Amino acid sequence: MNIVVQSPLSGGQSEIDFEIDKNELIKRYIDEYDVNISHLLADVDKIHLYKCLKSGYRFFFPYTLAGNGNFYEQLQKISGYYPKWKWDYEVAIKEIPISPKY
C-alpha cells in the first residue's frame, strides 16, 4: 500500500523516485564513513525519496528524518566531506547581501 505524500513545496502530488531499506543505508554509512546512523532511523523501515510531479522537487519522507548534532560532528571529521569550495558557494555569495560591519 502506497502512502499519498504531498510535496512540501507545491502541496501537489508526488511519487516515489527511490527507496532504500534502513539496514542497507546504515550499512553503507558504516562501510563508507565509519558512522553509525541506526539511532536516527529507529522509527522507520525504509527511506523514500519522493519527486513532486508539478515541480520536480525531490524530498525525503518521512519528514521526521533528520541528522542530529552528533551526526554532523562525525561527518566533519571525514576528510573532504565538507569541501572549502564548491560552485554553488559562488552562486550563493552573489545572492547574499553584505551588511556593513559595525
Side-chain angles (χ1 to χ4, degrees), residues 1-2 4 10 13 17 21 24 26 28 45 48-49 54 56 59 64 66-67 82 89 93-94 100:
M1 180 173 128
N2 282 344
V4 175
S10 71
Q13 191 175 10
D17 194 41
D21 180 80
E24 176 64 22
I26 290 167
R28 287 186 185 187
D45 293 323
H48 295 100
L49 178 64
K54 185 175 182 180
F59 59 96
T64 56
Y82 288 114
Y89 296 171
I93 199 72
K94 292 176 184 174

Side-chain angles (χ1 to χ4, degrees), residues 8-93:
L9 182 66
S10 71
Q13 191 175 10
S14 64
E15 64 184 9
I16 295 174
D17 194 41
F18 177 80
E19 77 175 24
I20 188 167
D21 180 80
K22 83 171 181 180
N23 294 320
E24 176 64 22
L25 188 59
I26 290 167
K27 181 182 180 321
R28 287 186 185 187
Y29 265 89
I30 289 171
D31 291 349
E32 295 179 29
Y33 304 116
D34 196 26
V35 173
N36 187 340
I37 62 167
S38 59
H39 62 286
L40 299 173
L41 304 176
D43 297 333
V44 297
D45 293 323
K46 293 184 184 240
I47 294 88
H48 295 100
L49 178 64
Y50 279 81
K51 180 179 180 181
C52 174
L53 298 177
K54 185 175 182 180
S55 67
Y57 174 70
R58 289 183 171 90
F59 59 96
F60 287 101
F61 187 84
Y63 298 127
T64 56
L65 290 175
N68 58 19
N70 182 47
F71 170 71
Y72 289 104
E73 285 175 22
Q74 291 181 60
L75 292 181
Q76 284 181 14
K77 296 175 186 175
I78 300 168
S79 178
Y81 193 85
Y82 288 114
K84 292 183 181 195
W85 182 89
K86 292 181 359 183
W87 69 268
D88 50 339
Y89 296 171
E90 295 293 325
V91 173
I93 199 72

